[in-house]
Amino acid sequence: MATVVPLAEAVGNLVRDGDSVALEGFTHLIPYAAGHEIIRQGRRDLVLIRMTPDLIYDQLIGMGCARRLVFSWGGNPGVGSLHRFRDAVQNHWPAPLEIEEHSHAGIANAYVAGASGLPFAVLRGYRGTDLPSRTPNIKPITCPFTGEELTAVPAINPDVAIVHAQRADRHGNVQLWGITGVQKEAVLAARRSLVTVEEIVEELQPRPGAVVLPEWAITHVSEAPGGSHPSYSAGYSVRDNGFYRAWDGIARDRDTFLAWMDENVLTRKAGR
Amino acid sequence: MATVVPLAEAVGNLVRDGDSVALEGFTHLIPYAAGHEIIRQGRRDLVLIRMTPDLIYDQLIGMGCARRLVFSWGGNPGVGSLHRFRDAVQNHWPAPLEIEEHSHAGIANAYVAGASGLPFAVLRGYRGTDLPSRTPNIKPITCPFTGEELTAVPAINPDVAIVHAQRADRHGNVQLWGITGVQKEAVLAARRSLVTVEEIVEELQPRPGAVVLPEWAITHVSEAPGGSHPSYSAGYSVRDNGFYRAWDGIARDRDTFLAWMDENVLTRKAGR
Amino acid sequence: MTVPRSDSPLPAVPSGSPASAASSGAPGADPYTADEMMTVAAARRLRGGSCFVGIGLPSVAANLARRTHAPDLVLIYESGTIGAKPERPPLSIGDGELAETADAVVSVPEIFNYWLQPGRIGVGFLGAAQIDRFANINTTVIGTYDDPKVRLPGAGGAPEIAASCREVTVIVRQSPRTFVERVDFVTSVGFGSGPGDRERLGLRGSGPRTVITDLGVLEPDPVTCELVLTHLHPGVTVDRVRAATGWDLAVAADLRETEPPGPRELAALRALTGRQG
Amino acid sequence: MTVPRSDSPLPAVPSGSPASAASSGAPGADPYTADEMMTVAAARRLRGGSCFVGIGLPSVAANLARRTHAPDLVLIYESGTIGAKPERPPLSIGDGELAETADAVVSVPEIFNYWLQPGRIGVGFLGAAQIDRFANINTTVIGTYDDPKVRLPGAGGAPEIAASCREVTVIVRQSPRTFVERVDFVTSVGFGSGPGDRERLGLRGSGPRTVITDLGVLEPDPVTCELVLTHLHPGVTVDRVRAATGWDLAVAADLRETEPPGPRELAALRALTGRQG
């Protein structure tokens, strides 16, 4: 049964030090506002899960919130590297970062298994690559009918899943559309969940391509207009490609990064 | 690459004696017109696959088209039994009917595996029931991570899948909405496919809840207005509950059944 | 046979007749049929949360619950409709109104995999052609599988509903043909052959909590898992229930009588089914 | 090092200069950069059907093909957009325009499971940070995994694109740092360690058919599976390509020269990238 609460309260209720937390949104509807709130609340030792860790995970990692990253593609899409992620992996700054690395197909299926109440998923994947030698939880599995060998990955069931959506109604039923990525699976796989939304409306109107998550499958809903910036919320905002490009310069240097975070994330707390 | 052809030509091209054929549509959008065309073309020895064999499979079975039925629930929904199906199973009339029996979850997942290019699917299903003792291709499978024992079913990859949809455009892109069942999976799992549609339109307009099948994933599209009667096509027709009730009387007796088929299916050939 | 056929409703039990006088109380109260009593009793068990609804009797009872004491009950049908609010109980589980009134419509694989299988749904609401001492359900065949006396529709969604919902309610008319010592075919597991079987099989829901019939209510003994008669509907005797049961039915020490259908319940039920009072 | 850095385009090769005079022919023809030649050559390989498009260079080339000789090319992005028709190549694989112009938008699990995995998609179009003699691709780390010199973004969709598309085209700028004897990490399998490996691994697509660089085109030898230089771009010498390759590169007996970009190709490309001619 979803309850609609302010963002700081939702994050405070749901995210604890040491939790596994999945912030999903496949280039679209990335829950930046919620990520910033996690940073402001000073969470530590998080296991961060995300197919495409982009700037928000660069920020969480650079601010020392994470001890482990489970991911399949960690870059600044169309721009280049995530410098804070690289600095953590290559130089252990600000803290060592364990990584568990998959392919997109692997993580997507691990979420599907998690959402489905299964302990594992089967896919044609990883075979012949060096990933299984570095990610121990990728295992072979044999088809009981054909004898063919395929690949199994364990289900992902995060302690908390956080996604951003366009709308919710007052009961907490959520509607998102456009590129819907793996958000439904992440929410359904998680023990607890938070959906931030552009706006809360009286009634959800059916829309082409919309995914609806009923309120009884969600823990908290929080209004966070613009909460996906610099990614976008189709129908509400456009992707701020300029910011993605600018981030490359901001994040390249530790001090520039910290100054930016201080000015744009940490000191904005009071304003909310 | 879909080609748009008349129904008789599509069925003639795609369905051969001995084929495995899945006509899907979960109570909604059931491809009756295509099923009738299979009967008129006198196909024999078909392996008929369908989660919910209802009147159209009662007709195909009663007309002697099938040698085997793969299914999970064979009844006249809300009314009672399928008398032709029962007569075939209990009395081998008009021919013996082998059956391969599953649960809905089992067949749905077998289609998912088929659509996904996997040889099998894993589910929490069947355990403790008598189904595995009667359906040999339900097997246990052990999770390589937790050791837990689950159930595997082999993929379903029909020779032909046939579904009914509301609309296609001239290129053969298909749009269906409402209860969309397992139709996408059946089409994607099949070697060849036919989609009958209520109408062919200039351009598909986005609609809430619509599934779009791109033309390059389909073999043939045929216009068949009213082709889902007595089931329904949301937005075009309503379910003819009266016919479902009437069928109970028609199908109970072999001669009544044959007379009805002769009058309503076989002799309508010329009219098309 | 003196028991009613499982597909024909019992005749109405008029108020004031020996069968219902004891509880229906008020003179002039609506007469009601045994089927109506059964449906009302079943609806009362649904208190809120989510319910995976089988077709037929379960669908009527679930819709009745939503119309009376449980307006927030989330109805889920295997056709993929989540939160359907039909005006009338559908004839099939895929009627158009289910989709039109639903909060969300998902594919059939999704309803089973993402919604049912993980144990997200509170109550699974099933019918039965046969049910046994341990609440195992048969909807597949009467007689032997290879040469059946009656070929029934089969499993549908029931095996996984029975396995995965947090608990299961069964609604079925009671007769010795239906309530059998051992079902001819286990389509859906209740408690298997007794305590511990569900756990051994890895079934994650708690299994049948209530079996509601046209005669009374049965519930599994918490220790033995065997069905025990816990409620009689007004005017029904223990002897009559035992005569309608194919095993030596245990009766609860604190056997109670079901509250008869109230006027509001009957009115709502008849509005649903179209029956005149 | 004298080879260009892999992230900086080569300087434009003006028409009439020794580098391109031999083939660009007509005096006054547009000058073009090596990157433009590479992109045009890659686009030409896409003839129709469906293409699973990686981000960056592949996306520009695939969009160019759709604008020029292959208007019916179905572009599929891992964000779930099928049949996207963007006006400009997206910066990310999830830009809004991809969804708005697509024939269908599906979830990320679905795009991988229902569309990529069964081998439904014709061409997988990938970039690389390193590629080796057997066309294996690395986009994970340069150096060792535990103490990398450069931590790259990782696998993304590439391993399964490389495994499951009916064939694969790779587009990558050529340098000895990029074209290595053996990749530091096999992110995506080309031909493994040689003939028969794909079959042994159960990879169902036929693997890389073409590697297009800023210098020429390489194709696997049908017997040995080793990449062989089959085309030189105008003005490029075999020696220059060999100097930019970290193994002893074989050269095809019938080595040919790539047709330079035509005016229509260049205009379409520049309209896409926003570059002035």
Side-chain angles (χ1 to χ4, degrees):
Chain A
M1 301 297 131
T3 49
V4 180
V5 299
L7 177 58
E9 184 184 335
V11 169
N13 286 347
L14 297 182
V15 185
R16 301 156 199 167
D17 285 352
D19 274 353
S20 59
V21 184
L23 281 72
E24 282 295 351
F26 201 86
T27 76
H28 174 216
L29 294 171
I30 302 178
Y32 274 86
H36 289 168
E37 187 57 35
I38 293 173
I39 292 170
R40 279 192 293 271
Q41 296 196 10
R43 294 282 70 75
R44 286 294 175 271
D45 295 322
L46 300 179
V47 175
L48 292 178
I49 306 167
R50 185 171 158 75
M51 294 184 65
T52 53
D54 70 344
L55 312 197
I56 186 63
Y57 273 34
D58 215 30
Q59 294 171 2
L60 283 155
I61 291 165
M63 295 302 283
C65 301
R67 73 169 168 85
R68 186 178 175 83
L69 176 69
V70 180
F71 76 109
S72 41
W73 194 88
N76 182 341
V79 177
S81 295
L82 294 176
H83 299 293
R84 297 298 97 227
F85 163 57
R86 273 172 73 155
D87 204 11
V89 171
Q90 296 175 208
N91 309 310
H92 313 307
W93 189 92
L97 182 71
E98 298 168 23
I99 59 177
E100 176 184 325
E101 188 159 3
H102 287 273
S103 68
H104 279 352
I107 295 209
N109 277 291
Y111 276 126
V112 168
S116 301
L118 293 174
F120 70 105
V122 177
L123 70 156
R124 296 184 182 280
Y126 297 102
R127 290 180 59 82
T129 76
D130 285 339
L131 286 161
S133 71
R134 292 299 172 174
T135 307
N137 61 6
I138 301 167
K139 291 196 179 176
I141 189 164
T142 302
C143 173
F145 305 102
T146 64
E148 191 181 359
E149 198 175 274
L150 299 128
T151 301
V153 290
I156 292 179
N157 290 104
D159 292 317
V160 191
I162 302 179
V163 304
H164 187 73
Q166 281 96 341
R167 289 179 187 164
D169 67 19
R170 290 178 195 290
H171 306 288
N173 297 296
V174 163
Q175 187 186 46
L176 59 152
W177 65 86
I179 291 171
T180 55
V182 75
Q183 284 99 303
K184 179 187 274 191
E185 288 76 13
V187 167
L188 295 182
R191 290 174 188 86
R192 309 183 290 278
S193 57
L194 163 62
V195 184
T196 58
V197 296
E198 289 292 324
E199 64 173 332
I200 290 173
V201 297
E202 205 51 51
E203 195 176 0
L204 298 175
Q205 297 301 325
R207 282 191 66 102
V211 165
V212 172
L213 286 166
E215 55 86 18
W216 51 277
I218 297 167
T219 318
H220 281 320
V221 168
S222 298
E223 206 166 20
S228 67
H229 180 270
S231 86
Y232 71 107
S233 298
Y236 288 82
S237 58
V238 295
R239 194 170 188 271
D240 186 352
N241 288 336
F243 185 84
Y244 274 87
R245 290 195 187 91
W247 183 252
D248 193 69
I250 296 165
R252 200 175 281 268
D253 176 82
R254 293 175 185 174
D255 291 335
T256 319
F257 163 74
L258 289 173
W260 190 92
M261 291 301 294
D262 191 54
E263 185 176 346
N264 293 281
V265 176
L266 297 182
T267 59
R268 292 225 172 163
K269 188 175 193 173
R272 279 173 182 266
Chain B
M1 302 297 131
T3 49
V4 180
V5 301
L7 177 58
E9 184 183 336
V11 169
N13 286 347
L14 298 182
V15 184
R16 301 157 198 167
D17 285 352
D19 274 354
S20 59
V21 184
L23 281 72
E24 282 294 350
F26 201 87
T27 77
H28 174 216
L29 293 171
I30 302 178
Y32 274 86
H36 289 169
E37 186 57 36
I38 293 173
I39 292 170
R40 279 192 293 270
Q41 296 195 9
R43 293 282 71 76
R44 286 293 176 271
D45 295 322
L46 300 179
V47 175
L48 292 178
I49 306 166
R50 184 170 159 77
M51 294 184 65
T52 55
D54 71 344
L55 312 197
I56 187 62
Y57 273 35
D58 215 29
Q59 295 172 2
L60 283 154
I61 291 165
M63 295 301 285
C65 302
R67 73 169 168 82
R68 184 177 176 82
L69 177 69
V70 180
F71 76 109
S72 42
W73 193 88
N76 182 341
V79 178
S81 293
L82 294 176
H83 299 292
R84 296 298 98 226
F85 163 57
R86 274 171 72 154
D87 205 12
V89 171
Q90 295 175 208
N91 309 310
H92 314 306
W93 190 93
L97 183 70
E98 298 167 22
I99 59 177
E100 176 184 326
E101 188 158 4
H102 288 272
S103 68
H104 279 352
I107 296 209
N109 276 291
Y111 276 127
V112 168
S116 303
L118 292 175
F120 70 105
V122 177
L123 70 156
R124 295 184 181 280
Y126 297 104
R127 290 178 60 80
T129 76
D130 285 340
L131 286 161
S133 72
R134 292 299 171 174
T135 307
N137 60 7
I138 301 167
K139 291 197 179 178
I141 189 164
T142 302
C143 173
F145 305 102
T146 64
E148 191 180 0
E149 199 175 272
L150 300 128
T151 301
V153 290
I156 292 179
N157 290 105
D159 292 317
V160 191
I162 302 179
V163 303
H164 187 72
Q166 281 97 340
R167 288 180 187 163
D169 66 20
R170 291 178 194 291
H171 306 290
N173 297 295
V174 163
Q175 188 186 45
L176 59 152
W177 66 85
I179 290 171
T180 56
V182 74
Q183 284 100 303
K184 179 187 274 191
E185 289 76 13
V187 167
L188 295 182
R191 291 175 187 86
R192 308 184 290 279
S193 57
L194 164 61
V195 184
T196 59
V197 295
E198 289 292 324
E199 64 173 331
I200 290 173
V201 297
E202 205 51 52
E203 194 176 1
L204 299 176
Q205 298 300 326
R207 281 192 67 101
V211 165
V212 171
L213 286 166
E215 55 86 18
W216 53 276
I218 298 167
T219 318
H220 281 321
V221 169
S222 298
E223 206 165 19
S228 67
H229 179 270
S231 86
Y232 70 105
S233 297
Y236 287 82
S237 58
V238 294
R239 194 170 188 271
D240 186 352
N241 287 335
F243 185 83
Y244 274 88
R245 291 196 186 91
W247 183 251
D248 193 69
I250 295 165
R252 201 176 280 268
D253 175 83
R254 292 174 185 174
D255 291 334
T256 319
F257 163 74
L258 289 172
W260 190 93
M261 292 302 294
D262 191 55
E263 185 175 346
N264 293 281
V265 177
L266 297 181
T267 59
R268 292 225 172 161
K269 188 174 192 172
R272 280 175 182 263
Chain C
M1 298 224 301
T2 57
V3 295
R5 286 186 48 202
S6 70
D7 56 356
S8 61
L10 288 174
V13 180
S15 174
S17 80
S20 66
S23 62
S24 68
D30 278 349
Y32 57 88
T33 67
D35 262 14
E36 286 175 334
M37 178 71 260
M38 171 172 68
T39 305
V40 166
R44 289 176 187 156
R45 299 276 160 164
L46 297 172
R47 291 192 189 84
S50 52
C51 177
F52 205 108
V53 189
I55 197 60
L57 296 175
S59 184
V60 178
N63 278 284
L64 177 59
R66 212 179 56 75
R67 298 304 190 77
T68 52
H69 60 282
D72 293 334
L73 183 67
V74 177
L75 304 185
I76 296 165
Y77 288 83
E78 63 197 16
S79 52
T81 53
I82 298 175
K85 303 159 200 72
E87 279 299 301
R88 303 181 74 80
L91 185 66
S92 94
I93 43 76
D95 281 13
E97 201 189 354
L98 294 178
E100 288 155 20
T101 61
D103 294 325
V105 182
V106 302
S107 74
V108 165
E110 180 177 328
I111 200 74
F112 284 103
N113 289 348
Y114 285 9
W115 298 91
L116 176 62
Q117 185 166 264
R120 239 178 263 292
I121 297 176
V123 178
F125 205 166
L126 296 173
Q130 283 185 333
I131 185 166
D132 68 19
R133 186 189 280 268
F134 290 111
N136 301 300
I137 291 173
N138 175 16
T139 57
T140 302
V141 286
I142 305 294
T144 65
Y145 189 81
D146 288 327
D147 188 16
K149 244 191 297 185
V150 185
R151 172 65 233 194
L152 299 163
E160 287 79 19
I161 294 172
S164 294
C165 286
R166 290 199 287 275
E167 61 176 74
V168 172
T169 296
V170 183
I171 179 168
V172 53
R173 296 187 189 95
Q174 196 156 359
S175 85
R177 291 195 314 178
T178 304
F179 280 64
V180 294
E181 172 69 35
R182 195 191 170 97
V183 290
D184 292 351
F185 190 97
V186 179
T187 312
S188 305
V189 178
F191 298 99
S193 49
D197 258 24
R198 289 188 69 89
E199 295 71 16
R200 266 193 294 282
L201 293 165
L203 310 180
R204 305 207 293 182
S206 65
R209 291 286 112 205
T210 324
V211 177
I212 290 153
T213 83
D214 48 349
L215 302 180
V217 177
L218 294 77
E219 298 174 58
D221 180 276
V223 175
T224 66
C225 294
E226 188 179 318
L227 288 177
V228 174
L229 180 67
T230 59
H231 293 74
L232 287 172
H233 294 331
V236 178
T237 62
V238 168
D239 282 352
R240 182 160 166 222
V241 181
R242 290 174 62 101
T245 306
W247 70 87
D248 186 19
L249 178 65
V251 178
D254 62 339
L255 179 67
R256 279 170 291 176
E257 190 174 77
T258 313
E259 188 71 23
R264 183 160 165 263
E265 288 170 324
L266 273 183
L269 174 57
R270 287 167 184 172
L272 274 172
T273 59
R275 180 179 177 276
Q276 300 307 312
Chain D
M1 299 225 300
T2 57
V3 293
R5 287 186 48 202
S6 70
D7 56 355
S8 59
L10 287 173
V13 180
S15 174
S17 79
S20 68
S23 61
S24 69
D30 278 349
Y32 57 88
T33 67
D35 261 14
E36 286 175 335
M37 177 72 258
M38 171 171 68
T39 305
V40 166
R44 287 175 188 157
R45 299 277 160 164
L46 297 172
R47 292 193 188 83
S50 53
C51 178
F52 205 108
V53 189
I55 196 60
L57 297 174
S59 184
V60 178
N63 277 285
L64 177 60
R66 212 180 55 77
R67 298 304 191 77
T68 52
H69 61 281
D72 294 333
L73 183 68
V74 177
L75 304 186
I76 296 164
Y77 287 84
E78 63 196 15
S79 52
T81 54
I82 298 175
K85 302 160 199 71
E87 279 297 301
R88 304 180 73 80
L91 184 66
S92 95
I93 42 77
D95 281 13
E97 201 188 353
L98 295 178
E100 288 155 21
T101 62
D103 295 325
V105 181
V106 301
S107 74
V108 165
E110 180 177 327
I111 200 75
F112 283 103
N113 290 347
Y114 285 8
W115 298 92
L116 176 62
Q117 186 166 263
R120 240 177 263 292
I121 297 176
V123 178
F125 206 167
L126 296 173
Q130 285 185 331
I131 185 167
D132 68 18
R133 187 189 279 267
F134 290 111
N136 301 299
I137 290 174
N138 175 16
T139 56
T140 302
V141 286
I142 306 295
T144 65
Y145 189 81
D146 288 326
D147 188 15
K149 244 191 298 186
V150 185
R151 173 65 233 196
L152 299 162
E160 287 78 20
I161 294 172
S164 294
C165 286
R166 290 200 287 275
E167 62 176 75
V168 172
T169 296
V170 183
I171 180 167
V172 53
R173 298 186 188 97
Q174 196 157 359
S175 85
R177 292 194 314 177
T178 304
F179 280 65
V180 295
E181 173 69 35
R182 193 191 172 98
V183 290
D184 292 351
F185 190 97
V186 178
T187 313
S188 305
V189 177
F191 297 99
S193 50
D197 257 23
R198 289 188 69 88
E199 294 71 17
R200 266 193 295 281
L201 293 166
L203 310 181
R204 304 206 294 183
S206 65
R209 291 286 111 205
T210 324
V211 177
I212 290 154
T213 82
D214 49 349
L215 303 180
V217 177
L218 293 77
E219 296 173 59
D221 180 276
V223 176
T224 66
C225 295
E226 188 179 319
L227 288 177
V228 174
L229 180 67
T230 59
H231 292 75
L232 287 171
H233 294 332
V236 178
T237 62
V238 168
D239 281 352
R240 183 162 165 220
V241 180
R242 291 174 63 100
T245 306
W247 70 86
D248 186 22
L249 178 66
V251 178
D254 62 340
L255 179 68
R256 279 170 290 176
E257 191 174 76
T258 314
E259 188 71 22
R264 185 162 163 262
E265 288 171 322
L266 274 183
L269 175 56
R270 287 167 184 173
L272 275 172
T273 58
R275 181 180 177 275
Q276 299 307 312

